[in-house]
Amino acid sequence: MGSTRTQLSLAEARRVAVAAQGLDRRTRPRPPTPTMRHLGGVLDRTGVWQVDSVNVLARAHLMPLFSRLGPYDTDLLRRAAESRPRRVVEFWAHVQAFMPVELWPVMQHRMRLHRDSPRWHQWLGDHDRVAQQVLSAVREHGPSTARDLDDGAPRSRDHWGWNWSEARRALDYLYLVGDLAIAGRTRQFEPVYDLPERVLPVEVLAAPALGAAEGVRELVRRAARHHGVATLSDLTDFYRLQQVRGQGQQAARDAVQDLVASGELLPVRVETWDRPAWLHRDARVPRAVDAAALLSPFDPLVWHRDRTERLFGFHSRIEIYVPAAHRRWGYYVLPFLLGDTLVARVDLKADRTAGDGALVVHAAYAEPGRAPQEQVADELARELREVARWLGLPRVVVGGRGDLAPALATRLVATSGAEEGSP
């Protein structure tokens, strides 16, 4: 039965969000041996997994699965993305992201907008021939990277009639408009392109494409379900409607009105929020949640920084591109979720350069007033051991930065023989 709530406390809103994202272990316990069925369940609840090349710990699209399933075989995701029957495919769904294959027909309205955009029309004016040649080359030769099309030659126009940068740009265009799809990635993380009919299931290609209004409504519907409770900016951001010409908050607002009229979204007031919000009719409002998870900074629960601060009172900033001397928390910092609260943040690295390697905790900081430090250290130590096991790293090494570091190091040494000291 759907919810009839019209008001939520901030704590209730947090629990709704955590449960909607499949992080409540009371209802979604971590399986002993995660399978493809479990992967599908996580995808159904999270919606999309942002793809990012940063590999200091594990690539961004791998972490949401770990946060919900615990240690799992990452080959599951490779098979889901590259083997038949494909279950996920990459597209510009949030940013570059894995999405369920059934979203392909929904995204075709976005593909049409890319095809008609002034930006790409201007580029095609000078490069249409290159785009057609690249498409023909992929059709003839099969799955290809930009370097494959360049045939390994110097950056000249002697072989195919274009240089590498032109081929790469053409592939970007053909991918965004749906003439090509990403069939996989190389060990160097380069995308491999192929024709959609050689990548996607037949039934997906045969499904009718949605018009612009229908497509936006479906994306807003999904965003509402994945968030549980959300504002207009939350719903707009999930599939980045604001970055697509002709969409944005007005298109999302129109979709919200339709979904309210149909009873799928329920207007609610959330304590301390200064803007309207909506609760999905199927959202659970748990009295408590049992969650303990390290979250990638690109996890759908926390990737929208305004929402994260509004919901959890947690200010985050991705500092990868900030000079080291100006970083506040560290290079690759993950929030730690305990119950319905973000209680700590840790700067992590998977270091494989010395010996058998180690999971390095460069810094660990407790969020003031959220939970007893001993409890946070105990739960975080347990999760760090699971991360190390998943990554095949035999040790956890804790550095000295951060107010939580001493308690965390002590707890790890007491329970698993981890090392304390400067990494």
Side-chain angles (χ1 to χ4, degrees):
M1 180 181 295
S3 175
T4 58
R5 300 291 294 269
T6 60
Q7 296 188 55
L8 293 174
S9 70
L10 189 57
E12 286 174 326
R14 287 197 300 267
R15 294 196 291 270
V16 168
V18 170
Q21 276 288 309
L23 286 156
D24 182 6
R25 296 191 193 176
R26 293 187 181 194
T27 55
R28 306 289 179 187
R30 288 179 170 178
T33 305
T35 65
M36 192 65 76
R37 180 177 63 84
H38 296 114
L39 180 148
V42 173
L43 184 63
D44 181 62
R45 290 181 288 278
T46 55
V48 292
W49 302 321
Q50 182 170 334
V51 173
D52 192 85
S53 61
V54 175
N55 198 26
V56 65
L57 178 68
R59 297 201 192 278
H61 49 281
L62 299 177
M63 276 302 298
L65 280 159
F66 172 83
S67 300
R68 291 153 180 84
L69 299 178
Y72 73 98
D73 183 354
T74 57
D75 194 56
L76 282 174
L77 181 52
R78 184 200 63 77
R79 286 163 44 205
E82 300 181 19
S83 301
R84 295 180 180 179
R86 280 185 171 88
R87 295 165 172 83
V88 299
V89 65
E90 287 190 49
F91 192 65
W92 201 263
H94 173 68
V95 290
Q96 185 75 13
F98 281 114
M99 66 180 190
V101 291
E102 62 266 21
L103 264 184
W104 187 267
V106 178
M107 288 295 181
Q108 287 190 24
H109 76 278
R110 183 170 289 189
M111 297 172 190
R112 291 192 296 270
L113 288 170
H114 285 304
R115 192 183 297 274
D116 295 338
S117 73
R119 169 189 168 214
W120 282 113
H121 266 292
Q122 182 178 359
W123 182 83
L124 278 174
D126 297 322
H127 300 90
D128 181 67
R129 178 172 171 271
V130 173
Q132 294 307 312
Q133 286 180 315
V134 167
L135 182 59
S136 295
V138 174
R139 182 178 291 113
E140 179 181 354
H141 296 284
S144 305
T145 66
R147 294 184 187 277
D148 292 333
L149 297 176
D150 194 46
D151 202 31
R155 305 295 180 254
S156 70
R157 307 173 69 93
D158 299 332
H159 184 62
W160 291 97
W162 59 72
N163 60 33
W164 185 85
S165 61
E166 287 178 337
R168 186 69 182 84
R169 187 76 164 159
L171 287 168
D172 285 343
Y173 167 75
L174 294 166
Y175 155 75
L176 285 173
V177 303
D179 289 343
L180 291 178
I182 293 180
R185 286 187 177 259
T186 67
R187 290 185 178 181
Q188 293 73 39
F189 208 60
E190 294 176 288
V192 179
Y193 299 89
D194 203 352
L195 302 178
E197 55 264 36
R198 298 198 292 236
V199 173
L200 294 158
V202 173
E203 62 273 17
V204 169
L205 293 169
L210 299 188
E214 293 174 301
V216 171
R217 186 164 54 250
E218 179 60 21
L219 293 179
V220 170
R221 172 187 289 116
R222 286 173 176 257
R225 184 165 61 86
H226 299 316
H227 274 321
V229 62
T231 66
L232 186 65
S233 66
D234 299 336
L235 298 173
T236 304
D237 176 80
F238 198 91
Y239 289 102
R240 293 293 171 91
L241 298 178
Q242 72 273 25
Q243 293 186 353
V244 180
R245 186 178 60 88
Q247 298 187 4
Q249 288 211 349
Q250 185 55 54
R253 188 178 287 111
D254 293 342
V256 166
Q257 290 177 352
D258 288 348
L259 294 169
V260 169
S262 70
E264 190 160 352
L265 295 188
L266 309 173
V268 292
R269 295 185 60 186
V270 177
E271 177 190 12
T272 75
W273 288 10
D274 60 356
R275 63 198 78 176
W278 293 270
L279 181 71
H280 193 274
R281 68 182 174 197
D282 296 332
R284 291 175 51 241
V285 187
R287 293 184 178 180
V289 289
D290 178 16
L294 281 163
L295 304 172
S296 159
F298 306 109
D299 191 281
L301 184 66
V302 296
W303 65 23
H304 186 20
R305 285 183 283 177
D306 173 73
R307 173 179 169 84
T308 302
E309 191 155 1
R310 183 172 9 99
L311 192 59
F312 294 100
F314 186 92
H315 177 75
S316 65
R317 181 186 183 192
I318 297 174
E319 298 183 294
I320 290 172
Y321 303 110
V322 175
H326 299 290
R327 292 179 194 136
R328 181 179 180 186
W329 305 112
Y331 181 78
Y332 196 74
V333 177
L334 286 76
F336 181 54
L337 175 71
L338 189 60
D340 63 10
T341 307
L342 295 177
V343 297
R345 59 186 92 205
V346 286
D347 182 15
L348 297 182
K349 178 181 180 179
D351 187 355
R352 303 181 187 277
T353 59
D356 295 326
L359 176 63
V360 178
V361 185
H362 285 300
Y365 301 89
E367 290 293 294
R370 302 295 172 87
Q373 201 169 91
E374 294 79 7
Q375 179 190 7
V376 174
D378 184 58
E379 297 287 351
L380 180 55
R382 185 177 294 113
E383 190 71 359
L384 289 168
R385 289 196 296 270
E386 290 288 272
V387 173
R389 180 164 72 90
W390 175 52
L391 297 176
L393 300 170
R395 299 175 298 139
V396 181
V397 179
V398 182
R401 286 195 292 117
D403 63 315
L404 186 59
L408 179 62
T410 298
R411 187 60 184 157
L412 280 163
V413 169
T415 57
S416 63
E419 298 179 7
E420 179 182 4
S422 299

mmCIF file of all heavy atoms in Angstrom, residues 239-276:
data_model
loop_
_atom_site.group_PDB
_atom_site.id
_atom_site.type_symbol
_atom_site.label_atom_id
_atom_site.label_comp_id
_atom_site.label_asym_id
_atom_site.label_seq_id
_atom_site.Cartn_x
_atom_site.Cartn_y
_atom_site.Cartn_z
ATOM 1 N N TYR A 239 18.809 12.741 -13.670
ATOM 2 C CA TYR A 239 19.159 12.424 -15.050
ATOM 3 C C TYR A 239 19.659 13.664 -15.802
ATOM 4 O O TYR A 239 19.650 13.701 -17.031
ATOM 5 C CB TYR A 239 17.963 11.810 -15.783
ATOM 6 C CG TYR A 239 17.641 10.408 -15.307
ATOM 7 C CD1 TYR A 239 16.571 10.183 -14.437
ATOM 8 C CD2 TYR A 239 18.414 9.314 -15.678
ATOM 9 C CE1 TYR A 239 16.275 8.907 -13.984
ATOM 10 C CE2 TYR A 239 18.133 8.041 -15.223
ATOM 11 C CZ TYR A 239 17.061 7.840 -14.384
ATOM 12 O OH TYR A 239 16.777 6.571 -13.922
ATOM 13 N N ARG A 240 20.094 14.672 -15.037
ATOM 14 C CA ARG A 240 20.693 15.884 -15.576
ATOM 15 C C ARG A 240 19.842 16.527 -16.670
ATOM 16 O O ARG A 240 20.334 16.861 -17.756
ATOM 17 C CB ARG A 240 22.110 15.593 -16.077
ATOM 18 C CG ARG A 240 23.089 15.251 -14.951
ATOM 19 C CD ARG A 240 23.338 16.454 -14.059
ATOM 20 N NE ARG A 240 24.088 16.136 -12.865
ATOM 21 C CZ ARG A 240 25.427 16.197 -12.763
ATOM 22 N NH1 ARG A 240 26.133 16.564 -13.824
ATOM 23 N NH2 ARG A 240 26.023 15.925 -11.637
ATOM 24 N N LEU A 241 18.560 16.687 -16.396
ATOM 25 C CA LEU A 241 17.674 17.327 -17.362
ATOM 26 C C LEU A 241 18.132 18.746 -17.676
ATOM 27 O O LEU A 241 17.947 19.242 -18.793
ATOM 28 C CB LEU A 241 16.247 17.363 -16.819
ATOM 29 C CG LEU A 241 15.572 16.016 -16.541
ATOM 30 C CD1 LEU A 241 14.183 16.233 -15.972
ATOM 31 C CD2 LEU A 241 15.510 15.162 -17.792
ATOM 32 N N GLN A 242 18.753 19.399 -16.694
ATOM 33 C CA GLN A 242 19.155 20.784 -16.881
ATOM 34 C C GLN A 242 20.275 20.944 -17.904
ATOM 35 O O GLN A 242 20.529 22.046 -18.380
ATOM 36 C CB GLN A 242 19.583 21.406 -15.536
ATOM 37 C CG GLN A 242 20.922 20.910 -14.994
ATOM 38 C CD GLN A 242 20.817 19.652 -14.153
ATOM 39 O OE1 GLN A 242 19.886 18.884 -14.312
ATOM 40 N NE2 GLN A 242 21.771 19.459 -13.256
ATOM 41 N N GLN A 243 20.933 19.846 -18.257
ATOM 42 C CA GLN A 243 22.030 19.930 -19.219
ATOM 43 C C GLN A 243 21.589 19.652 -20.653
ATOM 44 O O GLN A 243 22.402 19.681 -21.565
ATOM 45 C CB GLN A 243 23.147 18.952 -18.828
ATOM 46 C CG GLN A 243 23.848 19.324 -17.533
ATOM 47 C CD GLN A 243 25.041 18.438 -17.252
ATOM 48 O OE1 GLN A 243 25.302 17.456 -17.948
ATOM 49 N NE2 GLN A 243 25.796 18.771 -16.221
ATOM 50 N N VAL A 244 20.308 19.369 -20.828
ATOM 51 C CA VAL A 244 19.803 19.028 -22.148
ATOM 52 C C VAL A 244 18.946 20.186 -22.658
ATOM 53 O O VAL A 244 18.014 20.628 -21.983
ATOM 54 C CB VAL A 244 18.973 17.726 -22.107
ATOM 55 C CG1 VAL A 244 18.459 17.382 -23.501
ATOM 56 C CG2 VAL A 244 19.818 16.583 -21.545
ATOM 57 N N ARG A 245 19.270 20.668 -23.829
ATOM 58 C CA ARG A 245 18.556 21.806 -24.407
ATOM 59 C C ARG A 245 17.062 21.504 -24.494
ATOM 60 O O ARG A 245 16.643 20.442 -24.939
ATOM 61 C CB ARG A 245 19.110 22.097 -25.806
ATOM 62 C CG ARG A 245 18.547 23.362 -26.468
ATOM 63 C CD ARG A 245 19.214 23.557 -27.827
ATOM 64 N NE ARG A 245 18.982 22.430 -28.708
ATOM 65 C CZ ARG A 245 17.926 22.320 -29.518
ATOM 66 N NH1 ARG A 245 17.027 23.270 -29.547
ATOM 67 N NH2 ARG A 245 17.789 21.258 -30.293
ATOM 68 N N GLY A 246 16.254 22.465 -24.055
ATOM 69 C CA GLY A 246 14.808 22.297 -24.109
ATOM 70 C C GLY A 246 14.217 21.559 -22.927
ATOM 71 O O GLY A 246 12.999 21.363 -22.867
ATOM 72 N N GLN A 247 15.062 21.146 -21.979
ATOM 73 C CA GLN A 247 14.561 20.484 -20.783
ATOM 74 C C GLN A 247 14.919 21.350 -19.571
ATOM 75 O O GLN A 247 15.040 22.554 -19.675
ATOM 76 C CB GLN A 247 15.118 19.066 -20.694
ATOM 77 C CG GLN A 247 14.670 18.215 -21.864
ATOM 78 C CD GLN A 247 15.049 16.753 -21.729
ATOM 79 O OE1 GLN A 247 15.591 16.311 -20.743
ATOM 80 N NE2 GLN A 247 14.727 15.978 -22.761
ATOM 81 N N GLY A 248 15.062 20.768 -18.401
ATOM 82 C CA GLY A 248 15.369 21.552 -17.228
ATOM 83 C C GLY A 248 14.210 21.557 -16.259
ATOM 84 O O GLY A 248 13.324 20.691 -16.289
ATOM 85 N N GLN A 249 14.185 22.547 -15.367
ATOM 86 C CA GLN A 249 13.208 22.545 -14.288
ATOM 87 C C GLN A 249 11.776 22.688 -14.787
ATOM 88 O O GLN A 249 10.860 22.114 -14.203
ATOM 89 C CB GLN A 249 13.543 23.633 -13.274
ATOM 90 C CG GLN A 249 14.775 23.307 -12.433
ATOM 91 C CD GLN A 249 14.711 23.903 -11.042
ATOM 92 O OE1 GLN A 249 13.848 24.722 -10.752
ATOM 93 N NE2 GLN A 249 15.616 23.483 -10.177
ATOM 94 N N GLN A 250 11.559 23.448 -15.867
ATOM 95 C CA GLN A 250 10.187 23.596 -16.337
ATOM 96 C C GLN A 250 9.647 22.268 -16.856
ATOM 97 O O GLN A 250 8.513 21.890 -16.575
ATOM 98 C CB GLN A 250 10.084 24.655 -17.430
ATOM 99 C CG GLN A 250 8.650 24.936 -17.877
ATOM 100 C CD GLN A 250 7.752 25.314 -16.710
ATOM 101 O OE1 GLN A 250 8.049 26.237 -15.949
ATOM 102 N NE2 GLN A 250 6.642 24.583 -16.543
ATOM 103 N N ALA A 251 10.472 21.559 -17.621
ATOM 104 C CA ALA A 251 10.039 20.250 -18.112
ATOM 105 C C ALA A 251 9.808 19.296 -16.947
ATOM 106 O O ALA A 251 8.841 18.519 -16.935
ATOM 107 C CB ALA A 251 11.086 19.682 -19.071
ATOM 108 N N ALA A 252 10.684 19.345 -15.940
ATOM 109 C CA ALA A 252 10.507 18.498 -14.766
ATOM 110 C C ALA A 252 9.255 18.900 -13.990
ATOM 111 O O ALA A 252 8.514 18.042 -13.489
ATOM 112 C CB ALA A 252 11.743 18.575 -13.873
ATOM 113 N N ARG A 253 9.002 20.194 -13.898
ATOM 114 C CA ARG A 253 7.812 20.674 -13.183
ATOM 115 C C ARG A 253 6.536 20.168 -13.855
ATOM 116 O O ARG A 253 5.592 19.727 -13.180
ATOM 117 C CB ARG A 253 7.831 22.197 -13.125
ATOM 118 C CG ARG A 253 6.733 22.788 -12.244
ATOM 119 C CD ARG A 253 6.838 24.307 -12.175
ATOM 120 N NE ARG A 253 7.966 24.725 -11.369
ATOM 121 C CZ ARG A 253 9.063 25.309 -11.837
ATOM 122 N NH1 ARG A 253 9.183 25.544 -13.140
ATOM 123 N NH2 ARG A 253 10.041 25.659 -11.032
ATOM 124 N N ASP A 254 6.514 20.212 -15.184
ATOM 125 C CA ASP A 254 5.346 19.708 -15.909
ATOM 126 C C ASP A 254 5.157 18.215 -15.646
ATOM 127 O O ASP A 254 4.020 17.739 -15.466
ATOM 128 C CB ASP A 254 5.509 19.949 -17.410
ATOM 129 C CG ASP A 254 5.485 21.431 -17.769
ATOM 130 O OD1 ASP A 254 5.016 22.242 -16.941
ATOM 131 O OD2 ASP A 254 5.959 21.772 -18.879
ATOM 132 N N ALA A 255 6.270 17.481 -15.626
ATOM 133 C CA ALA A 255 6.183 16.040 -15.366
ATOM 134 C C ALA A 255 5.686 15.776 -13.947
ATOM 135 O O ALA A 255 4.871 14.870 -13.722
ATOM 136 C CB ALA A 255 7.550 15.392 -15.587
ATOM 137 N N VAL A 256 6.164 16.557 -12.982
ATOM 138 C CA VAL A 256 5.728 16.393 -11.595
ATOM 139 C C VAL A 256 4.225 16.618 -11.487
ATOM 140 O O VAL A 256 3.508 15.858 -10.816
ATOM 141 C CB VAL A 256 6.498 17.350 -10.664
ATOM 142 C CG1 VAL A 256 5.818 17.439 -9.290
ATOM 143 C CG2 VAL A 256 7.940 16.886 -10.496
ATOM 144 N N GLN A 257 3.715 17.647 -12.145
ATOM 145 C CA GLN A 257 2.276 17.913 -12.100
ATOM 146 C C GLN A 257 1.480 16.721 -12.622
ATOM 147 O O GLN A 257 0.457 16.343 -12.042
ATOM 148 C CB GLN A 257 1.959 19.172 -12.907
ATOM 149 C CG GLN A 257 2.461 20.452 -12.264
ATOM 150 C CD GLN A 257 2.201 21.688 -13.120
ATOM 151 O OE1 GLN A 257 1.766 21.584 -14.267
ATOM 152 N NE2 GLN A 257 2.474 22.858 -12.559
ATOM 153 N N ASP A 258 1.951 16.123 -13.723
ATOM 154 C CA ASP A 258 1.268 14.947 -14.267
ATOM 155 C C ASP A 258 1.307 13.784 -13.280
ATOM 156 O O ASP A 258 0.305 13.063 -13.101
ATOM 157 C CB ASP A 258 1.923 14.511 -15.578
ATOM 158 C CG ASP A 258 1.631 15.464 -16.726
ATOM 159 O OD1 ASP A 258 0.739 16.325 -16.572
ATOM 160 O OD2 ASP A 258 2.293 15.351 -17.773
ATOM 161 N N LEU A 259 2.452 13.586 -12.635
ATOM 162 C CA LEU A 259 2.611 12.459 -11.725
ATOM 163 C C LEU A 259 1.846 12.676 -10.420
ATOM 164 O O LEU A 259 1.379 11.711 -9.801
ATOM 165 C CB LEU A 259 4.096 12.223 -11.454
ATOM 166 C CG LEU A 259 4.897 11.753 -12.679
ATOM 167 C CD1 LEU A 259 6.400 11.812 -12.407
ATOM 168 C CD2 LEU A 259 4.492 10.348 -13.089
ATOM 169 N N VAL A 260 1.694 13.919 -10.007
ATOM 170 C CA VAL A 260 0.851 14.222 -8.848
ATOM 171 C C VAL A 260 -0.610 13.941 -9.200
ATOM 172 O O VAL A 260 -1.361 13.332 -8.425
ATOM 173 C CB VAL A 260 1.047 15.677 -8.384
ATOM 174 C CG1 VAL A 260 -0.031 16.068 -7.361
ATOM 175 C CG2 VAL A 260 2.433 15.865 -7.780
ATOM 176 N N ALA A 261 -1.008 14.374 -10.398
ATOM 177 C CA ALA A 261 -2.399 14.160 -10.825
ATOM 178 C C ALA A 261 -2.741 12.674 -10.909
ATOM 179 O O ALA A 261 -3.869 12.263 -10.615
ATOM 180 C CB ALA A 261 -2.630 14.834 -12.177
ATOM 181 N N SER A 262 -1.768 11.853 -11.290
ATOM 182 C CA SER A 262 -2.010 10.415 -11.397
ATOM 183 C C SER A 262 -1.878 9.698 -10.057
ATOM 184 O O SER A 262 -2.154 8.496 -9.962
ATOM 185 C CB SER A 262 -1.042 9.790 -12.401
ATOM 186 O OG SER A 262 0.290 9.787 -11.884
ATOM 187 N N GLY A 263 -1.442 10.429 -9.027
ATOM 188 C CA GLY A 263 -1.303 9.828 -7.705
ATOM 189 C C GLY A 263 0.022 9.156 -7.451
ATOM 190 O O GLY A 263 0.223 8.573 -6.382
ATOM 191 N N GLU A 264 0.952 9.230 -8.405
ATOM 192 C CA GLU A 264 2.241 8.558 -8.213
ATOM 193 C C GLU A 264 3.158 9.350 -7.293
ATOM 194 O O GLU A 264 3.958 8.768 -6.552
ATOM 195 C CB GLU A 264 2.920 8.321 -9.560
ATOM 196 C CG GLU A 264 4.139 7.427 -9.446
ATOM 197 C CD GLU A 264 4.532 6.791 -10.756
ATOM 198 O OE1 GLU A 264 3.785 6.918 -11.748
ATOM 199 O OE2 GLU A 264 5.605 6.160 -10.804
ATOM 200 N N LEU A 265 3.068 10.673 -7.315
ATOM 201 C CA LEU A 265 3.842 11.523 -6.412
ATOM 202 C C LEU A 265 2.900 12.226 -5.447
ATOM 203 O O LEU A 265 1.827 12.707 -5.838
ATOM 204 C CB LEU A 265 4.648 12.564 -7.195
ATOM 205 C CG LEU A 265 5.752 12.058 -8.111
ATOM 206 C CD1 LEU A 265 6.574 13.228 -8.646
ATOM 207 C CD2 LEU A 265 6.657 11.069 -7.399
ATOM 208 N N LEU A 266 3.321 12.298 -4.197
ATOM 209 C CA LEU A 266 2.518 12.900 -3.143
ATOM 210 C C LEU A 266 3.248 14.127 -2.599
ATOM 211 O O LEU A 266 4.400 14.007 -2.133
ATOM 212 C CB LEU A 266 2.307 11.898 -2.007
ATOM 213 C CG LEU A 266 1.782 10.517 -2.425
ATOM 214 C CD1 LEU A 266 1.782 9.584 -1.229
ATOM 215 C CD2 LEU A 266 0.389 10.641 -3.021
ATOM 216 N N PRO A 267 2.641 15.294 -2.638
ATOM 217 C CA PRO A 267 3.288 16.478 -2.058
ATOM 218 C C PRO A 267 3.509 16.290 -0.560
ATOM 219 O O PRO A 267 2.605 15.832 0.161
ATOM 220 C CB PRO A 267 2.283 17.607 -2.339
ATOM 221 C CG PRO A 267 1.435 17.100 -3.469
ATOM 222 C CD PRO A 267 1.344 15.624 -3.269
ATOM 223 N N VAL A 268 4.714 16.622 -0.100
ATOM 224 C CA VAL A 268 5.018 16.535 1.330
ATOM 225 C C VAL A 268 5.835 17.745 1.753
ATOM 226 O O VAL A 268 6.516 18.372 0.929
ATOM 227 C CB VAL A 268 5.813 15.250 1.691
ATOM 228 C CG1 VAL A 268 4.980 14.004 1.511
ATOM 229 C CG2 VAL A 268 7.114 15.160 0.900
ATOM 230 N N ARG A 269 5.759 18.047 3.030
ATOM 231 C CA ARG A 269 6.635 19.048 3.627
ATOM 232 C C ARG A 269 7.676 18.309 4.444
ATOM 233 O O ARG A 269 7.358 17.432 5.250
ATOM 234 C CB ARG A 269 5.847 20.001 4.519
ATOM 235 C CG ARG A 269 4.838 20.870 3.773
ATOM 236 C CD ARG A 269 4.185 21.865 4.707
ATOM 237 N NE ARG A 269 5.172 22.748 5.305
ATOM 238 C CZ ARG A 269 4.881 23.652 6.252
ATOM 239 N NH1 ARG A 269 3.643 23.759 6.707
ATOM 240 N NH2 ARG A 269 5.825 24.424 6.747
ATOM 241 N N VAL A 270 8.945 18.663 4.215
ATOM 242 C CA VAL A 270 10.041 18.044 4.958
ATOM 243 C C VAL A 270 10.618 19.077 5.920
ATOM 244 O O VAL A 270 10.910 20.215 5.529
ATOM 245 C CB VAL A 270 11.140 17.529 4.009
ATOM 246 C CG1 VAL A 270 12.310 16.944 4.804
ATOM 247 C CG2 VAL A 270 10.579 16.470 3.059
ATOM 248 N N GLU A 271 10.765 18.680 7.144
ATOM 249 C CA GLU A 271 11.292 19.547 8.195
ATOM 250 C C GLU A 271 12.603 20.210 7.743
ATOM 251 O O GLU A 271 13.500 19.524 7.241
ATOM 252 C CB GLU A 271 11.536 18.705 9.452
ATOM 253 C CG GLU A 271 12.164 19.456 10.612
ATOM 254 C CD GLU A 271 12.591 18.516 11.716
ATOM 255 O OE1 GLU A 271 12.607 17.284 11.495
ATOM 256 O OE2 GLU A 271 12.922 19.017 12.809
ATOM 257 N N THR A 272 12.695 21.492 7.890
ATOM 258 C CA THR A 272 13.843 22.362 7.583
ATOM 259 C C THR A 272 14.013 22.663 6.096
ATOM 260 O O THR A 272 14.783 23.554 5.753
ATOM 261 C CB THR A 272 15.191 21.822 8.125
ATOM 262 O OG1 THR A 272 15.647 20.721 7.320
ATOM 263 C CG2 THR A 272 15.090 21.411 9.584
ATOM 264 N N TRP A 273 13.328 21.954 5.213
ATOM 265 C CA TRP A 273 13.470 22.252 3.790
ATOM 266 C C TRP A 273 12.619 23.476 3.451
ATOM 267 O O TRP A 273 11.447 23.566 3.850
ATOM 268 C CB TRP A 273 13.040 21.060 2.938
ATOM 269 C CG TRP A 273 14.003 19.906 2.980
ATOM 270 C CD1 TRP A 273 15.068 19.760 3.819
ATOM 271 C CD2 TRP A 273 13.982 18.742 2.149
ATOM 272 N NE1 TRP A 273 15.713 18.579 3.568
ATOM 273 C CE2 TRP A 273 15.063 17.924 2.543
ATOM 274 C CE3 TRP A 273 13.153 18.301 1.130
ATOM 275 C CZ2 TRP A 273 15.340 16.700 1.945
ATOM 276 C CZ3 TRP A 273 13.426 17.082 0.529
ATOM 277 C CH2 TRP A 273 14.506 16.292 0.917
ATOM 278 N N ASP A 274 13.209 24.368 2.690
ATOM 279 C CA ASP A 274 12.519 25.612 2.364
ATOM 280 C C ASP A 274 11.888 25.578 0.976
ATOM 281 O O ASP A 274 11.662 26.613 0.365
ATOM 282 C CB ASP A 274 13.495 26.793 2.452
ATOM 283 C CG ASP A 274 14.670 26.658 1.485
ATOM 284 O OD1 ASP A 274 14.770 25.613 0.803
ATOM 285 O OD2 ASP A 274 15.480 27.598 1.406
ATOM 286 N N ARG A 275 11.601 24.394 0.476
ATOM 287 C CA ARG A 275 11.036 24.250 -0.859
ATOM 288 C C ARG A 275 10.107 23.040 -0.890
ATOM 289 O O ARG A 275 10.227 22.143 -0.042
ATOM 290 C CB ARG A 275 12.157 24.097 -1.885
ATOM 291 C CG ARG A 275 13.006 22.851 -1.712
ATOM 292 C CD ARG A 275 14.338 22.931 -2.431
ATOM 293 N NE ARG A 275 15.295 23.744 -1.691
ATOM 294 C CZ ARG A 275 16.561 23.905 -2.062
ATOM 295 N NH1 ARG A 275 16.989 23.334 -3.172
ATOM 296 N NH2 ARG A 275 17.364 24.641 -1.344
ATOM 297 N N PRO A 276 9.200 22.992 -1.857
ATOM 298 C CA PRO A 276 8.276 21.850 -1.942
ATOM 299 C C PRO A 276 9.030 20.549 -2.204
ATOM 300 O O PRO A 276 10.133 20.537 -2.782
ATOM 301 C CB PRO A 276 7.376 22.213 -3.135
ATOM 302 C CG PRO A 276 7.519 23.686 -3.305
ATOM 303 C CD PRO A 276 8.915 24.023 -2.872
#
